[in-house]
Amino acid sequence: MPLELVTTDGRSFRYREYELPDPGPDEVRVQVEFAAPKHGTEAHALAGSALSRKRWDPELRLFLPRSADEPAPTAPSEQRVGNMIVGTVIGAGEGVTRFRPGDRVFGYGPIREEHQGPEQRLRLLDGLSPEDAVCADPAHVAFVAVRDGNIRVGDDVAVFGLGAIGLLAVQIARASGAARIFAVDPVAQRRTCAVAFGADAGIDPREGDVALAIKVGTDNQGVDVALETSGNGAALHEAIRCIRQCGTVVHVPWGPKDASALHLDEEFHLNRPTIIGSQAVWANPDRAHPLWTEERARLAAIDLFRRGLITGAGLVTPIVPFAEADRALAEAFAAPDQGIKVGVSFG
């Protein structure tokens, strides 16, 4: 029987056997060759979020208190881990028209030896490297963030948080014509990677006043757009501080849960930034809708890989064999600053 990775708390992981039914009419079965989790999102879900504390009303688009007779949802005793998979089609339902056995594909799926799901959730690999393919999801997030910030030729940009989304944002901002890019993260490996990807400077926030360094690096003016991808309250505060007067801050992640370092009674009040929440998902249309849809943005982000304008090479690290993935994921979730984006190789 095939194996998959599961966890209850994001601290320990184990392998679990499972069985797949015969493919349904629109389903495809894939022999997985490469996979990756989405650490920030999955760690956030495991730790609990507003969705576990309150009730989301999709009509009002408000979080509301749960009624006394409406218990909060309980987390499953064990849940699968993983975000994207790459593999070869080994079976298909009678109604499948887009793929046939032998096709190499990628799409959303957990870290497991065989995956099965609707053909609509898979795409042909079509020349992408496995590393590029598993970065397609964070690339879509970064692509929308750059577009939300309206980054144009000649703009100065700061990117706070250099995980997968931040490093892809550096690359997409450069491809968009940004003049100067300042990449901020406490992890030296990530700063080095950002500079290799086109950032003009990597800044360690532990070594001084980040916003002041960015202001000095832009002739005392500040950046036009700051992208905050870390979910850290202090980073969001520095993103507000480092922009030009009336500049734009694009906030990408959930959070911050701890906003004690965010002071809206300082530069925010005096410099009048525009703050944009960036996620063209969860029934949120793209800001350029209907010209831009979620699918168009996803395809455009993938095309940037195919055109060689962005890459997952050097970003997916460490890469470990499936037999060692339980230990590697435990280490990555406990100390995310020890790598960037974990890749899992099968055979």
Side-chain angles (χ1 to χ4, degrees), residues 8-341:
T8 57
D9 55 12
R11 293 191 293 270
S12 63
F13 298 78
R14 77 176 186 92
Y15 298 97
R16 180 176 69 183
E17 291 184 336
Y18 64 98
E19 287 188 82
L20 292 173
D22 291 337
D26 69 337
E27 289 189 323
V28 174
R29 183 174 297 182
V30 177
Q31 184 73 50
V32 178
E33 304 167 10
F34 197 73
K38 192 175 182 182
H39 170 265
T41 299
E42 295 187 74
H44 180 83
L46 287 164
S49 67
L51 291 167
S52 56
R53 299 190 306 271
K54 296 181 178 180
R55 174 176 61 85
W56 172 247
D57 187 308
E59 182 178 356
L60 293 171
R61 297 198 69 79
L62 286 174
F63 280 106
L64 299 173
R66 295 183 181 278
S67 61
D69 58 352
E70 183 185 8
T74 57
S77 57
E78 283 188 316
Q79 59 190 73
R80 300 183 183 97
V81 184
N83 175 240
M84 300 288 289
I85 58 104
V86 178
T88 301
V89 174
I90 56 174
E94 59 185 15
V96 172
T97 59
R98 297 173 58 213
F99 308 110
R100 60 185 179 182
D103 284 344
R104 296 190 72 212
V105 297
F106 72 101
Y108 288 102
I111 300 173
R112 59 198 324 202
E113 292 179 310
E114 293 183 9
H115 177 66
Q116 186 166 298
E119 65 173 329
Q120 293 81 8
R121 291 180 64 82
L122 295 171
R123 305 180 192 273
L124 284 170
L125 200 60
D126 193 22
L128 289 183
S129 71
E131 290 90 343
D132 288 348
V134 298
C135 287
D137 179 72
H140 169 251
V141 177
F143 181 85
V144 172
V146 169
R147 283 181 51 81
D148 278 345
N150 197 26
I151 293 172
R152 294 173 290 181
V153 172
D155 282 346
D156 291 328
V157 177
V159 179
F160 288 79
L162 301 175
I165 294 171
L167 287 171
L168 286 160
V170 166
Q171 298 180 66
I172 297 170
R174 178 61 77 198
S176 298
R180 290 175 288 197
I181 301 175
F182 301 87
V184 183
D185 197 287
V187 180
Q189 176 191 18
R190 297 180 176 186
R191 297 194 303 274
T192 299
C193 198
V195 171
F197 284 152
D200 295 274
I203 300 175
D204 185 343
R206 300 169 301 181
E207 293 187 350
D209 188 323
V210 174
L212 179 59
I214 292 173
K215 288 288 181 88
V216 170
T218 55
D219 305 316
N220 295 341
Q221 297 302 303
V223 295
D224 300 279
V225 183
L227 307 178
E228 203 298 285
T229 76
S230 70
N232 181 283
L236 181 56
H237 183 60
E238 294 304 311
I240 292 170
R241 295 183 68 227
C242 78
I243 59 170
R244 290 174 180 257
Q245 187 176 16
C246 299
T248 300
V249 175
V250 180
H251 184 61
V252 179
W254 286 87
K257 288 186 174 180
D258 179 3
S260 59
L262 176 62
H263 302 292
L264 299 184
D265 58 337
E266 297 181 0
E267 289 84 1
F268 172 81
H269 187 73
L270 295 174
N271 288 338
R272 271 195 324 130
T274 295
I275 298 182
I276 295 175
S278 177
Q279 284 291 352
V281 290
W282 302 306
N284 288 309
D286 191 284
R287 283 186 164 79
H289 185 83
L291 293 177
W292 279 85
T293 63
E294 181 179 336
E295 178 65 5
R296 182 183 177 187
R298 289 186 183 279
L299 290 173
I302 292 168
D303 188 55
L304 292 177
F305 288 110
R306 293 202 170 104
R307 293 164 60 194
L309 294 174
I310 65 175
T311 182
L315 191 158
V316 182
T317 179
I319 297 175
V320 300
F322 181 58
E324 299 175 14
D326 57 340
R327 175 187 54 79
L329 262 66
E331 293 175 355
F333 275 64
D337 59 347
Q338 298 305 304
I340 301 174
K341 182 177 181 67

